[in-house]
Structures are given as C-alpha cells and as structure tokens.
Amino acid sequence: MYVPNYVPEPIEIPGNVTEEPYLVRLAFIRRVAILHFASLLIVFGIAYSPWAPSREASLWALGVMLMTLAIQRVMLRRGSAESRASTFLLGPLLLVTGFALHHVQIAGYSLWTVLIGPGCALIYSLLCGRDFSFVGQFLLALIA
C-alpha cells in the first residue's frame, strides 16, 4: 500500500537565491534585513509625524490597501507583474500603515519598542560574518 507524503514538495522558482552560493545567499539575507528595517523606520517616522488623517479615514485606507494587495496577488499569481505591482503598492502601504499607527501612538502606546527586535536581528546579520544562523538571529531578537 502506498502512503502519500502529507507535506507537499516546495515550489521552486527558477533563479531563486537558494540555488546560489553561500556568500550570495548571505548578501541577500543582509539586504533583506536592511530593507525591512528601513521600511519599519519609514512607517514609524510617519507614525510619529504631527500630521495624519482622522482615525476612521486611516483605518479605512489601511483596509482598502490590504484588500487591494490581496486581490492583486491572487490575480497576478507567480508572475513578474506581481512583483512589480507589489513594489508599486509598497509606498502607499507604508504611508497608510504609518497613518494608522499614528493614532495608536497618540493613544499612549510606545511604538518605538517594536523596533528593538528587528534592530537586533539586523545587527546580528551585519556582524555575524560568514557564520550566519537563523536560530542565532531569532534568539538575539527574542532576548531583546
């Protein structure tokens, strides 16, 4: 009797960074960590700015933006148009997320503490040299 595997095979995209040598993968990981932290800084810069639309308008804009991203990912699945559309929509997404978090910050919550974990993960990825470990990166961010 043949028992099928419950875990499906991973989808591999040609030209994926996982097929590259270790140093290329490491540079990719560092670039992603830097860009991720930069996007967080943009969102938090907008959140701490003195201007933002009303709370209701900010939440509606964020909801519409998230629905737009979900629909475009389904419609443009696995094509180069999907990545171009996501890149194009990244700016508006960061803007409306910052607007929504502006009202959270005004309510008295300390948003800056959210930057500590990703900041430690970024520091680890930049200082680890060739000995990068996702477990080490996770544990350093978790400790913080």
Side-chain angles (χ1 to χ4, degrees), residues 54-138:
S54 69
R55 183 178 56 179
E56 291 78 18
S58 297
L59 291 176
W60 272 103
L62 181 60
V64 167
M65 194 69 223
L66 292 175
M67 288 298 293
T68 302
L69 282 167
I71 291 168
Q72 73 92 18
R73 286 212 172 92
V74 169
M75 293 177 64
L76 304 175
R77 189 173 306 216
R78 289 195 192 138
S80 62
E82 178 188 2
S83 64
R84 284 194 307 269
S86 293
T87 302
F88 176 74
L89 294 173
L90 177 63
L93 176 66
L94 296 177
L95 184 68
V96 298
T97 304
F99 287 159
L101 288 177
H102 174 79
H103 299 286
V104 173
Q105 183 265 131
I106 286 178
Y109 292 95
S110 298
L111 295 180
W112 65 269
T113 58
V114 175
L115 293 174
I116 295 172
C120 288
L122 173 64
I123 290 169
Y124 176 84
S125 68
L126 294 176
L127 297 180
C128 68
R130 294 177 49 111
D131 298 325
F132 183 84
S133 163
F134 283 110
V135 174
Q137 185 185 36
F138 172 75

Coordinates of all heavy atoms in Angstrom, one line a residue, residues 54-138:
S54 N -7.9 61.5 9.8 CA -8.6 61.0 11.0 C -8.4 59.5 11.2 O -8.0 58.8 10.3 CB -10.1 61.3 10.8 OG -10.6 60.5 9.8
R55 N -8.7 59.1 12.4 CA -8.6 57.7 12.7 C -9.4 56.8 11.8 O -8.9 55.8 11.3 CB -9.0 57.4 14.2 CG -8.7 56.0 14.6 CD -9.1 55.8 16.0 NE -10.5 56.2 16.2 CZ -11.1 56.2 17.4 NH1 -10.5 55.7 18.5 NH2 -12.3 56.5 17.5
E56 N -10.6 57.2 11.6 CA -11.5 56.4 10.7 C -11.0 56.3 9.3 O -11.0 55.3 8.6 CB -12.9 56.9 10.7 CG -13.7 56.8 12.0 CD -13.2 57.8 13.1 OE1 -12.6 58.8 12.7 OE2 -13.5 57.5 14.3
A57 N -10.5 57.5 8.8 CA -10.0 57.5 7.4 C -8.7 56.7 7.3 O -8.5 56.0 6.3 CB -9.7 59.0 7.0
S58 N -7.9 56.7 8.3 CA -6.7 55.9 8.3 C -7.0 54.4 8.3 O -6.3 53.7 7.6 CB -5.8 56.3 9.5 OG -5.4 57.6 9.5
L59 N -7.9 54.0 9.1 CA -8.2 52.6 9.2 C -8.9 52.1 7.9 O -8.6 51.0 7.4 CB -9.1 52.3 10.4 CG -8.4 52.5 11.7 CD1 -9.4 52.3 12.9 CD2 -7.3 51.5 11.9
W60 N -9.8 53.0 7.3 CA -10.4 52.6 6.0 C -9.3 52.5 4.9 O -9.3 51.6 4.1 CB -11.5 53.6 5.6 CG -12.8 53.3 6.2 CD1 -13.4 53.9 7.2 CD2 -13.7 52.3 5.7 NE1 -14.6 53.3 7.5 CE2 -14.8 52.3 6.5 CE3 -13.6 51.3 4.7 CZ2 -15.9 51.4 6.4 CZ3 -14.7 50.5 4.5 CH2 -15.8 50.5 5.3
A61 N -8.4 53.4 4.9 CA -7.4 53.4 3.9 C -6.5 52.2 4.1 O -6.1 51.5 3.1 CB -6.5 54.7 4.0
L62 N -6.2 51.8 5.3 CA -5.4 50.6 5.5 C -6.1 49.4 5.1 O -5.6 48.5 4.4 CB -5.0 50.5 7.0 CG -4.1 49.3 7.4 CD1 -2.8 49.4 6.6 CD2 -3.9 49.3 8.9
G63 N -7.4 49.3 5.4 CA -8.2 48.1 5.0 C -8.3 48.0 3.5 O -8.2 46.9 2.9
V64 N -8.5 49.2 2.8 CA -8.6 49.1 1.3 C -7.3 48.7 0.7 O -7.2 48.0 -0.2 CB -9.1 50.5 0.8 CG1 -8.8 50.7 -0.7 CG2 -10.5 50.8 1.2
M65 N -6.2 49.2 1.3 CA -4.8 48.9 0.8 C -4.6 47.4 1.0 O -4.0 46.8 0.0 CB -3.8 49.7 1.6 CG -2.5 49.7 1.0 SD -2.5 50.7 -0.5 CE -1.5 49.6 -1.5
L66 N -4.9 46.8 2.1 CA -4.7 45.4 2.3 C -5.5 44.6 1.4 O -5.1 43.5 0.9 CB -4.9 45.0 3.8 CG -3.9 45.6 4.8 CD1 -4.3 45.3 6.2 CD2 -2.5 45.1 4.5
M67 N -6.8 45.0 1.2 CA -7.6 44.2 0.2 C -7.1 44.3 -1.2 O -7.1 43.4 -2.0 CB -9.1 44.8 0.3 CG -9.8 44.4 1.5 SD -10.0 42.6 1.7 CE -11.1 42.3 0.3
T68 N -6.6 45.5 -1.6 CA -6.0 45.7 -2.9 C -4.8 44.8 -3.1 O -4.7 44.1 -4.1 CB -5.6 47.2 -3.1 OG1 -6.7 48.0 -2.9 CG2 -5.0 47.4 -4.5
L69 N -4.0 44.7 -2.1 CA -2.8 43.8 -2.2 C -3.2 42.3 -2.3 O -2.6 41.6 -3.1 CB -1.9 44.0 -1.0 CG -1.0 45.3 -1.0 CD1 -0.4 45.5 0.4 CD2 0.1 45.1 -2.0
A70 N -4.2 42.0 -1.5 CA -4.7 40.6 -1.5 C -5.2 40.2 -2.9 O -4.9 39.2 -3.5 CB -5.7 40.3 -0.5
I71 N -6.0 41.1 -3.5 CA -6.7 40.9 -4.8 C -5.6 40.8 -5.9 O -5.6 39.9 -6.7 CB -7.7 41.9 -5.1 CG1 -8.9 41.7 -4.1 CG2 -8.2 41.9 -6.5 CD1 -9.9 42.9 -4.1
Q72 N -4.6 41.8 -5.8 CA -3.6 41.8 -6.9 C -2.7 40.5 -6.8 O -2.3 40.0 -7.8 CB -2.8 43.1 -6.9 CG -1.9 43.3 -5.8 CD -0.4 42.8 -6.1 OE1 -0.1 42.6 -7.3 NE2 0.3 42.6 -5.1
R73 N -2.5 40.0 -5.6 CA -1.7 38.8 -5.5 C -2.4 37.6 -6.1 O -1.8 36.7 -6.7 CB -1.3 38.6 -4.1 CG -0.3 39.5 -3.6 CD 0.7 38.9 -2.6 NE 1.8 39.9 -2.4 CZ 1.7 40.8 -1.4 NH1 0.7 40.9 -0.6 NH2 2.8 41.6 -1.3
V74 N -3.7 37.5 -5.9 CA -4.5 36.4 -6.5 C -4.5 36.5 -8.0 O -4.4 35.6 -8.7 CB -5.9 36.4 -5.8 CG1 -6.8 35.4 -6.6 CG2 -5.8 36.0 -4.4
M75 N -4.8 37.8 -8.5 CA -4.9 38.0 -9.9 C -3.6 37.8 -10.7 O -3.6 37.3 -11.8 CB -5.6 39.3 -10.2 CG -7.0 39.4 -9.7 SD -7.7 41.1 -9.9 CE -7.7 41.2 -11.7
L76 N -2.5 38.2 -10.1 CA -1.2 38.2 -10.8 C -0.3 37.1 -10.3 O 0.9 37.2 -10.4 CB -0.6 39.6 -10.6 CG -1.3 40.8 -11.1 CD1 -0.6 42.0 -10.8 CD2 -1.7 40.7 -12.6
R77 N -0.8 36.0 -9.8 CA -0.1 35.0 -9.1 C 1.1 34.5 -9.9 O 1.0 34.2 -11.1 CB -1.0 33.8 -8.8 CG -0.4 32.8 -7.9 CD -1.5 31.8 -7.6 NE -2.6 32.5 -7.0 CZ -3.3 32.1 -6.0 NH1 -3.1 30.9 -5.6 NH2 -4.3 32.8 -5.6
R78 N 2.3 34.4 -9.3 CA 3.5 33.9 -9.8 C 4.0 34.5 -11.1 O 4.5 33.8 -11.9 CB 3.4 32.4 -10.0 CG 3.3 31.6 -8.7 CD 3.5 30.2 -8.9 NE 3.2 29.5 -7.7 CZ 2.5 28.4 -7.6 NH1 2.1 27.8 -8.7 NH2 2.3 27.8 -6.5
G79 N 3.8 35.7 -11.3 CA 4.3 36.3 -12.5 C 5.2 37.5 -12.1 O 5.3 37.9 -11.0
S80 N 5.9 38.0 -13.1 CA 6.8 39.2 -12.9 C 5.9 40.4 -12.6 O 6.3 41.3 -11.9 CB 7.7 39.4 -14.0 OG 7.0 39.7 -15.2
A81 N 4.7 40.4 -13.1 CA 3.8 41.5 -12.9 C 3.4 41.6 -11.4 O 3.2 42.7 -10.9 CB 2.5 41.4 -13.7
E82 N 3.4 40.5 -10.7 CA 3.0 40.5 -9.3 C 4.1 41.3 -8.5 O 3.8 42.1 -7.6 CB 2.9 39.1 -8.7 CG 2.6 39.1 -7.2 CD 2.7 37.7 -6.7 OE1 3.0 36.7 -7.4 OE2 2.4 37.6 -5.5
S83 N 5.3 41.0 -8.8 CA 6.4 41.7 -8.0 C 6.4 43.2 -8.4 O 6.7 44.0 -7.5 CB 7.8 41.1 -8.3 OG 8.1 41.2 -9.6
R84 N 6.2 43.5 -9.6 CA 6.2 45.0 -10.0 C 5.0 45.7 -9.3 O 5.2 46.8 -8.8 CB 6.1 45.1 -11.5 CG 7.4 44.8 -12.2 CD 7.4 45.3 -13.6 NE 6.3 44.8 -14.4 CZ 6.3 43.7 -15.1 NH1 7.3 42.9 -15.1 NH2 5.2 43.3 -15.8
A85 N 3.8 45.0 -9.3 CA 2.7 45.6 -8.6 C 2.9 45.8 -7.1 O 2.5 46.8 -6.5 CB 1.4 44.8 -8.9
S86 N 3.5 44.8 -6.5 CA 3.7 44.9 -5.1 C 4.7 46.0 -4.8 O 4.6 46.7 -3.8 CB 4.3 43.5 -4.6 OG 3.3 42.5 -4.7
T87 N 5.8 46.1 -5.6 CA 6.7 47.2 -5.4 C 6.1 48.5 -5.6 O 6.3 49.5 -4.8 CB 7.9 47.0 -6.4 OG1 8.5 45.7 -6.3 CG2 8.9 48.1 -6.3
F88 N 5.2 48.7 -6.5 CA 4.5 49.9 -6.8 C 3.6 50.3 -5.6 O 3.4 51.4 -5.2 CB 3.7 49.8 -8.1 CG 2.8 51.0 -8.4 CD1 3.4 52.2 -8.8 CD2 1.5 51.0 -8.2 CE1 2.6 53.3 -9.0 CE2 0.7 52.1 -8.4 CZ 1.3 53.3 -8.9
L89 N 2.9 49.3 -5.0 CA 2.0 49.5 -3.9 C 2.7 49.6 -2.5 O 2.0 49.8 -1.5 CB 0.9 48.4 -3.9 CG 0.0 48.4 -5.1 CD1 -0.9 47.2 -5.1 CD2 -0.8 49.7 -5.1
L90 N 4.0 49.3 -2.5 CA 4.7 49.4 -1.2 C 4.6 50.7 -0.5 O 4.4 50.9 0.7 CB 6.1 48.9 -1.3 CG 6.9 48.9 0.0 CD1 6.4 48.0 1.0 CD2 8.4 48.6 -0.3
G91 N 4.9 51.8 -1.3 CA 4.9 53.1 -0.8 C 3.5 53.5 -0.2 O 3.5 54.0 1.0
P92 N 2.4 53.4 -0.9 CA 1.1 53.7 -0.3 C 0.8 52.8 0.9 O 0.3 53.3 1.9 CB 0.1 53.4 -1.4 CG 0.9 53.5 -2.7 CD 2.3 53.1 -2.3
L93 N 1.3 51.5 0.9 CA 1.0 50.7 2.1 C 1.8 51.2 3.3 O 1.3 51.3 4.4 CB 1.5 49.2 1.8 CG 1.4 48.3 3.0 CD1 -0.1 48.1 3.4 CD2 2.0 47.0 2.7
L94 N 3.1 51.6 3.2 CA 3.8 52.1 4.3 C 3.2 53.4 4.8 O 3.1 53.7 6.0 CB 5.3 52.4 3.8 CG 6.1 51.2 3.4 CD1 7.5 51.6 3.0 CD2 6.2 50.2 4.5
L95 N 2.7 54.3 3.9 CA 2.1 55.5 4.2 C 0.8 55.3 5.1 O 0.7 55.9 6.2 CB 1.8 56.3 3.0 CG 1.2 57.7 3.2 CD1 2.3 58.6 3.8 CD2 0.7 58.3 1.9
V96 N -0.1 54.5 4.6 CA -1.3 54.3 5.4 C -1.1 53.5 6.7 O -1.8 53.7 7.6 CB -2.5 53.6 4.5 CG1 -2.8 54.5 3.3 CG2 -2.1 52.2 4.0
T97 N -0.1 52.6 6.7 CA 0.2 51.9 7.9 C 0.7 52.9 8.9 O 0.4 52.9 10.1 CB 1.2 50.8 7.7 OG1 0.7 49.9 6.7 CG2 1.5 50.0 9.0
G98 N 1.6 53.8 8.5 CA 2.1 54.9 9.4 C 0.9 55.8 9.9 O 0.9 56.1 11.1
F99 N 0.0 56.1 9.0 CA -1.2 56.9 9.5 C -2.0 56.2 10.5 O -2.4 56.8 11.5 CB -2.1 57.2 8.3 CG -1.5 58.3 7.3 CD1 -2.0 58.4 6.0 CD2 -0.5 59.2 7.7 CE1 -1.5 59.3 5.2 CE2 0.0 60.1 6.9 CZ -0.5 60.2 5.6
A100 N -2.2 54.9 10.3 CA -3.0 54.1 11.3 C -2.2 54.0 12.6 O -2.8 54.1 13.7 CB -3.3 52.7 10.7
L101 N -0.9 53.8 12.6 CA -0.1 53.7 13.8 C 0.0 55.1 14.5 O 0.3 55.1 15.7 CB 1.3 53.1 13.5 CG 1.3 51.6 13.2 CD1 2.7 51.1 12.9 CD2 0.7 50.8 14.3
H102 N -0.1 56.1 13.7 CA -0.1 57.5 14.4 C -1.2 57.6 15.5 O -0.9 58.1 16.5 CB -0.4 58.5 13.3 CG -0.5 59.9 13.8 ND1 0.6 60.7 14.2 CD2 -1.6 60.7 14.1 CE1 0.2 61.8 14.6 NE2 -1.1 61.9 14.6
H103 N -2.3 57.0 15.2 CA -3.4 57.1 16.2 C -3.2 56.2 17.4 O -3.6 56.4 18.5 CB -4.8 56.9 15.5 CG -5.0 57.9 14.5 ND1 -5.4 59.2 14.8 CD2 -5.0 57.8 13.1 CE1 -5.6 59.9 13.7 NE2 -5.3 59.1 12.6
V104 N -2.5 55.1 17.1 CA -2.1 54.2 18.2 C -1.1 54.9 19.1 O -1.1 54.8 20.4 CB -1.5 52.9 17.7 CG1 -0.9 52.0 18.8 CG2 -2.5 52.1 16.9
Q105 N -0.1 55.6 18.5 CA 0.9 56.4 19.2 C 0.2 57.5 20.0 O 0.6 57.7 21.2 CB 1.9 56.9 18.2 CG 3.1 57.6 18.8 CD 2.8 59.1 18.8 OE1 3.0 59.7 19.9 NE2 2.4 59.7 17.8
I106 N -0.7 58.2 19.5 CA -1.4 59.2 20.2 C -2.2 58.7 21.4 O -2.3 59.4 22.4 CB -2.4 60.0 19.2 CG1 -1.6 60.9 18.3 CG2 -3.4 60.8 20.0 CD1 -2.4 61.6 17.2
A107 N -2.7 57.4 21.3 CA -3.4 56.8 22.4 C -2.5 56.5 23.6 O -3.0 56.1 24.6 CB -4.1 55.6 21.9
G108 N -1.2 56.6 23.4 CA -0.3 56.4 24.5 C 0.6 55.2 24.5 O 1.3 54.9 25.4
Y109 N 0.5 54.4 23.4 CA 1.3 53.2 23.3 C 2.7 53.5 22.8 O 2.9 54.4 21.9 CB 0.6 52.2 22.4 CG -0.6 51.6 22.9 CD1 -1.9 52.2 22.6 CD2 -0.6 50.6 23.8 CE1 -3.0 51.7 23.1 CE2 -1.8 50.1 24.4 CZ -3.0 50.7 24.0 OH -4.2 50.2 24.6
S110 N 3.7 52.9 23.3 CA 5.1 53.1 22.9 C 5.4 52.3 21.7 O 5.7 51.1 21.8 CB 6.0 52.7 24.0 OG 5.8 53.5 25.2
L111 N 5.3 52.9 20.5 CA 5.6 52.2 19.3 C 7.1 51.9 19.1 O 7.4 50.9 18.4 CB 5.1 53.0 18.1 CG 3.6 53.2 18.0 CD1 3.2 54.0 16.8 CD2 2.9 51.8 18.0
W112 N 8.0 52.7 19.6 CA 9.4 52.6 19.3 C 9.9 51.2 19.8 O 10.9 50.7 19.3 CB 10.2 53.7 19.9 CG 10.1 53.8 21.4 CD1 9.2 54.4 22.2 CD2 11.0 53.1 22.3 NE1 9.4 54.2 23.5 CE2 10.5 53.4 23.6 CE3 12.1 52.3 22.2 CZ2 11.2 52.9 24.8 CZ3 12.7 51.8 23.3 CH2 12.2 52.1 24.6
T113 N 9.3 50.6 20.8 CA 9.8 49.4 21.3 C 9.7 48.2 20.3 O 10.4 47.2 20.4 CB 9.0 49.0 22.6 OG1 7.6 48.9 22.3 CG2 9.2 50.0 23.7
V114 N 8.8 48.4 19.3 CA 8.6 47.4 18.2 C 9.9 47.3 17.4 O 10.2 46.3 16.8 CB 7.4 47.7 17.4 CG1 7.3 46.8 16.2 CG2 6.2 47.7 18.2
L115 N 10.7 48.4 17.4 CA 11.9 48.4 16.6 C 13.1 47.6 17.2 O 14.1 47.3 16.5 CB 12.4 49.8 16.3 CG 11.4 50.7 15.4 CD1 11.9 52.1 15.4 CD2 11.3 50.1 14.1
I116 N 13.0 47.3 18.5 CA 14.1 46.6 19.2 C 14.4 45.2 18.6 O 15.6 44.9 18.3 CB 13.8 46.6 20.7 CG1 13.8 48.0 21.2 CG2 14.9 45.7 21.4 CD1 13.3 48.0 22.7
G117 N 13.4 44.4 18.4 CA 13.6 43.0 17.9 C 14.2 43.1 16.5 O 15.3 42.4 16.2
P118 N 13.6 43.7 15.5 CA 14.1 43.8 14.2 C 15.5 44.5 14.2 O 16.4 44.1 13.4 CB 13.1 44.6 13.4 CG 11.8 44.4 14.1 CD 12.2 44.3 15.6
G119 N 15.7 45.4 15.1 CA 17.0 46.1 15.1 C 18.1 45.1 15.6 O 19.2 45.1 15.0
C120 N 17.8 44.3 16.5 CA 18.8 43.3 17.0 C 19.0 42.2 15.9 O 20.2 41.8 15.7 CB 18.3 42.6 18.3 SG 18.5 43.7 19.7
A121 N 18.0 41.9 15.2 CA 18.1 40.9 14.1 C 19.0 41.5 13.0 O 19.8 40.8 12.4 CB 16.7 40.5 13.5
L122 N 18.8 42.8 12.7 CA 19.7 43.4 11.7 C 21.1 43.5 12.2 O 22.0 43.2 11.4 CB 19.1 44.8 11.5 CG 20.0 45.7 10.6 CD1 20.1 45.1 9.2 CD2 19.5 47.1 10.5
I123 N 21.3 43.9 13.4 CA 22.7 43.9 14.0 C 23.4 42.6 13.9 O 24.5 42.5 13.5 CB 22.7 44.5 15.4 CG1 22.3 45.9 15.4 CG2 24.0 44.2 16.1 CD1 22.0 46.5 16.8
Y124 N 22.6 41.5 14.2 CA 23.2 40.2 14.1 C 23.6 39.8 12.7 O 24.7 39.3 12.4 CB 22.2 39.1 14.7 CG 22.8 37.7 14.5 CD1 23.6 37.2 15.4 CD2 22.4 37.0 13.4 CE1 24.1 35.9 15.3 CE2 22.9 35.7 13.2 CZ 23.8 35.2 14.2 OH 24.3 33.9 14.0
S125 N 22.7 40.1 11.8 CA 23.0 39.8 10.4 C 24.2 40.6 9.8 O 24.9 40.0 9.0 CB 21.8 40.0 9.5 OG 21.4 41.3 9.4
L126 N 24.4 41.8 10.3 CA 25.5 42.6 9.8 C 26.9 42.2 10.5 O 27.9 42.4 9.9 CB 25.2 44.1 10.0 CG 24.1 44.6 9.2 CD1 23.8 46.1 9.6 CD2 24.4 44.5 7.7
L127 N 26.8 41.7 11.7 CA 28.0 41.4 12.5 C 28.4 40.0 12.6 O 29.5 39.7 13.1 CB 27.9 42.0 13.9 CG 27.7 43.5 14.1 CD1 27.6 43.9 15.5 CD2 28.8 44.2 13.4
C128 N 27.6 39.1 12.0 CA 27.9 37.6 12.2 C 29.0 37.1 11.3 O 29.5 36.0 11.5 CB 26.6 36.8 12.0 SG 26.1 36.8 10.2
G129 N 29.4 37.9 10.3 CA 30.4 37.4 9.4 C 29.9 36.3 8.5 O 28.7 36.4 8.0
R130 N 30.6 35.3 8.3 CA 30.2 34.2 7.5 C 29.4 33.1 8.2 O 28.9 32.2 7.7 CB 31.4 33.5 6.8 CG 32.1 34.3 5.8 CD 33.4 33.6 5.3 NE 33.1 32.3 4.9 CZ 33.1 31.9 3.6 NH1 33.4 32.7 2.7 NH2 32.8 30.6 3.3
D131 N 29.3 33.3 9.6 CA 28.7 32.3 10.4 C 27.2 32.7 10.7 O 26.8 32.6 11.9 CB 29.5 32.1 11.7 CG 30.9 31.7 11.5 OD1 31.0 30.9 10.5 OD2 31.8 32.1 12.2
F132 N 26.4 33.0 9.7 CA 25.1 33.4 9.9 C 24.2 32.1 10.3 O 24.4 31.1 9.8 CB 24.5 34.0 8.6 CG 23.1 34.4 8.8 CD1 22.8 35.7 9.3 CD2 22.0 33.6 8.5 CE1 21.5 36.1 9.5 CE2 20.7 34.0 8.6 CZ 20.4 35.3 9.2
S133 N 23.3 32.4 11.3 CA 22.4 31.3 11.7 C 21.0 32.0 12.0 O 21.0 32.9 12.7 CB 22.9 30.7 13.0 OG 21.9 29.9 13.6
F134 N 20.0 31.4 11.3 CA 18.7 32.0 11.6 C 18.3 31.7 13.0 O 17.6 32.6 13.6 CB 17.6 31.3 10.6 CG 17.7 31.9 9.3 CD1 18.1 31.1 8.2 CD2 17.3 33.2 9.0 CE1 18.2 31.6 6.9 CE2 17.3 33.7 7.7 CZ 17.8 32.9 6.7
V135 N 18.7 30.6 13.6 CA 18.4 30.4 15.0 C 19.1 31.5 15.9 O 18.4 32.0 16.8 CB 18.8 29.0 15.5 CG1 18.6 28.8 16.9 CG2 18.1 27.9 14.7
G136 N 20.3 31.8 15.6 CA 21.0 32.8 16.4 C 20.4 34.2 16.2 O 20.2 34.9 17.2
Q137 N 20.0 34.5 15.0 CA 19.3 35.7 14.7 C 18.0 35.8 15.5 O 17.7 36.8 16.1 CB 19.1 35.9 13.3 CG 18.5 37.2 12.9 CD 18.1 37.3 11.4 OE1 17.7 36.3 10.8 NE2 18.3 38.5 10.8
F138 N 17.2 34.7 15.5 CA 15.9 34.7 16.2 C 16.1 34.8 17.7 O 15.4 35.6 18.3 CB 15.2 33.4 15.8 CG 14.0 33.2 16.7 CD1 12.8 33.9 16.4 CD2 13.9 32.3 17.7 CE1 11.7 33.8 17.1 CE2 12.8 32.1 18.5 CZ 11.7 32.8 18.2

